Amino acid sequence: MTAADETQMFDGIETLRDRVAADLARSRARSTALTDAVDDDDLVKQHSKLMSPLVWDFAHIANQEELWLVRDVGGREPVRHDIDEMYDAFQHPRADRPALPLLSPVETRSYVREVRDKVLDVLASTPLEGRRLVENAFAFGMIVQHEQQHNETMLATHQLRTGEPVLHADSPPAPPGPVVDEEILVPGGPFTLGTSVEPWALDNERPAHQVDVPAFVIDKYPVTNSAYLEFVAAGGYDQERWWSADGWAYRQKANLTSPRFWLRDGDRWLRNGFGLVEPLVPDEPVVHVCFYEAEAFAAWAGKRLPTEVEWEKAARHDPATGRSRRYPWGDEDPGPQHANLGQRHLRPARIGAYPAGESPLGVAQLIGDVWEWTSSDFHAYPGFVAFPYREYSEVFFGPDYKMLRGGSFGADASACRGTFRNWDYPIRRQIFSGLRLARDARPDESQ
Ligand code: AVJ
Ligand code: FE
């Protein structure tokens, strides 16, 4: 190795440490903002049986950080040895968490700070090579993503909270020109699904492998409020024929009549976004629908949901090179010109707002705005190896969960990429979930 190579490697590692420190600071700024926005009563209370008290999420974020970075990576003594069980998501379902003897808001804030101080020390002193867990700072990246995932969950808790609005953000950009909603043909043929090279990709995104995908057609944009409203107005929620058997049973049981947080006001529809009630924006992607609603809407529209593989091919396939990109727009990390991510705006952007984020085939707004339901269950890719713990992905594999792709306005760029896989129960609609339609290509189209 030449001296120049060594210098470069040293620079590379310093850049990586800086990158980790910046990402840690950014995720912490967000969890702090989400918890500082409300008073202590609000922090400890349960806003919905579906969610944890905000103070549980915050301490759980710090507890995971302590387990992986202070104790495992750093080999240090526990900051607190007595609370692991209380903040273990597998020990206590969300509904039961308010009854636990949780750390108070004051104790939580000091625990969170103490852990982070130790982590910054570990970051400065640990060689980022040798063990797979620290190679490319993976464990730090995993913990950044974990905090950001909980930040999105905490944002969903804010959406369920009642009372005066406490969160404020700028409006997303408007479409810069005329918007033509269209269908896009994705040609059939081989495609590389997943990744083996993305340093912070989680276990379920690995390994990269080739799949053969028949030609299909996908909408350029996610389904909008106005399109979804047509389904509502046409009586779609009362017509069993659009719904799967499980979907109809749930529609009946939960008495679904419109997306969550829509309110009927005479002959117009309003929606509640973080406590602010306003008329529906027609060309904004619909959000807060469950998988069953997405599936019924697609059937009513004469189409279907894309499979997870189709979604990823639409997002990553570059027909000119046959290569899979990191993101629809290329290999560059997401910037504000590409996608509505990171809680910069507290709503999806109108369709057409992100021309710079389009895929080579012209599919738009795949990343950010709303998570998109796919028709796929959660399965391991061939060659999957649980890493670094089975409870991130493996214990969820099977038919109980449906896959969501692309991230939402509430998701951070660090926890969202072309290969990123999210999952939830098909009845969930407090999440920032919408959909995009697809269909099989007709023989005359696919030639
Ligand atoms: C990948 C979003 C389904 O929130 O349950 C957080 C992420 N895993 N803590 C979830 C996660 C452990 C997970 N999802
Ligand atoms: Fe967690």
Side-chain angles (χ1 to χ4, degrees), residues 60 146 149-150 153 389 392 422-423:
H60 164 83
H146 181 259
Q149 287 174 324
H150 276 274
T153 300
Y389 66 119
Y392 182 75
N422 191 12
W423 63 94

Side-chain angles (χ1 to χ4, degrees), residues 30 148 151-152 155 340-343 369 408-412 432:
R30 187 158 309 137
Q148 294 289 17
N151 286 344
E152 186 173 6
L155 190 67
N340 179 9
L341 287 168
Q343 305 187 14
D369 297 303
S408 77
F409 62 86
D412 189 77
F432 306 108

Side-chain angles (χ1 to χ4, degrees), residues 56-57 60-61 64 87 89 146-147 149-150 389:
W56 185 94
D57 281 283
H60 164 83
I61 286 168
Q64 287 292 113
Y87 294 105
H146 181 259
E147 180 160 8
Q149 287 174 324
H150 276 274
Y389 66 119

Side-chain angles (χ1 to χ4, degrees), residues 28 32 35-36 43 55 58-59 62-63 65-66 70 79-80 83 87 103-119:
R28 186 52 44 87
T32 304
T35 47
D36 283 353
L43 280 179
V55 78
F58 204 17
N63 185 241
E65 185 170 323
E66 141 155 47
V70 177
V79 178
R80 294 277 303 233
I83 58 172
Y87 294 105
L103 300 187
S104 69
V106 169
E107 290 167 326
T108 298
R109 289 185 172 115
S110 98
Y111 174 56
V112 158
R113 250 193 312 268
E114 207 181 323
V115 170
R116 178 55 58 91
D117 287 348
K118 293 205 157 58
V119 163

